Amino acid sequence: MPSPIPVTRLLPRGFGLDLGTLSSPLSRRAGASSSLRVPTATHGKLAQRLWSSAVQWRELHELEPIGCGGFGMVFKGTYFGETVAVKRVRRARNTLASRQSFWAELNAAHLRHDNLVRVIAGRVGTIVMEFAGDVSLQQVIYGAGPLPPELCVRYASDVVCALRHLHAHGVAHLDLKPANVLVSRAGVCKLADFGCSLQLGRDHAACALEIGGTYTHRAPELLRGERVTARADVYSFGVTLWQLLTRDVPYRGERQCVIYAVVAYGLRPQLDRDVFHRSSAGRACAELVSCCWSAEPNLRPSAEQLHSDLQQISLLVF
């Protein structure tokens, strides 16, 4: 039964939700078990045409805020009876940058994978996604106690599976970090937040400096404004894996000092931790992490290679 309370009553002033026809790649099929479907390709002008079908926004109910940040706010609700997350991108002073961030969110909208948060619908400034969980990998890492090493490897494998699928379809995430990985109630990691992502295959050297992302996890070539490749995600994965195993923050100090040291002096998080030396699996992880954050992108493993390496590590005993 539809909620008697209008959706707009549950949103803060200025949320901008339009209950009329909105652009979306999704349609609901009568009688279908899974109502949230998406076309197989969305980019450029084709994306705008595919996102022109009507969305039944009156089916969006019970919205409640669950998080906020520099990007805007995230709400939890239901859409056609399915639990969803609604992301409202904060309107920036630079309208063009705000729109670019929104369209970047759609770079993976046509992809379906168990380790990617599924995009359901959207309009400029608003994204409707599957609700993948309200706990991030960041919260899990720095939670009550240390994680079992085998669980760390399993979480890392989930992230790599997401990267492998993205890269195979020509998408670079470019903001991989524990805070952008959601952990479902079933313990499955799902990569989220594509606001910094890019479609690969074109020369992005001109826009590399404009890419956002978190400096502690950002590859040195991106900090220098050089060409974007999928190996930038591998660098970020190396820092993320280091956090999983050490439960520490990568760097301490002023932002500009850290960035300068990473670019000019090859500063990296410390590998002289007990977890990296007390077992063969730990030593294998240290070697893998070191390869991932190589200063030279071509020396980093691919996501495909990472997947194979983690499978081998999972067979070892910490």
Side-chain angles (χ1 to χ4, degrees), residues 258-275:
V258 170
I259 290 175
Y260 182 77
V262 167
V263 172
Y265 295 104
L267 175 68
R268 301 292 186 268
Q270 296 180 353
L271 287 174
D272 58 345
R273 304 298 182 88
D274 183 57
V275 67

Side-chain angles (χ1 to χ4, degrees), residues 223-246:
L223 294 172
R224 289 191 295 265
E226 296 175 356
R227 181 172 176 269
V228 177
T229 71
R231 302 299 172 97
D233 285 341
V234 173
Y235 179 96
S236 302
F237 168 78
V239 180
T240 299
L241 178 56
W242 181 91
Q243 286 179 270
L244 266 168
L245 294 170
T246 66

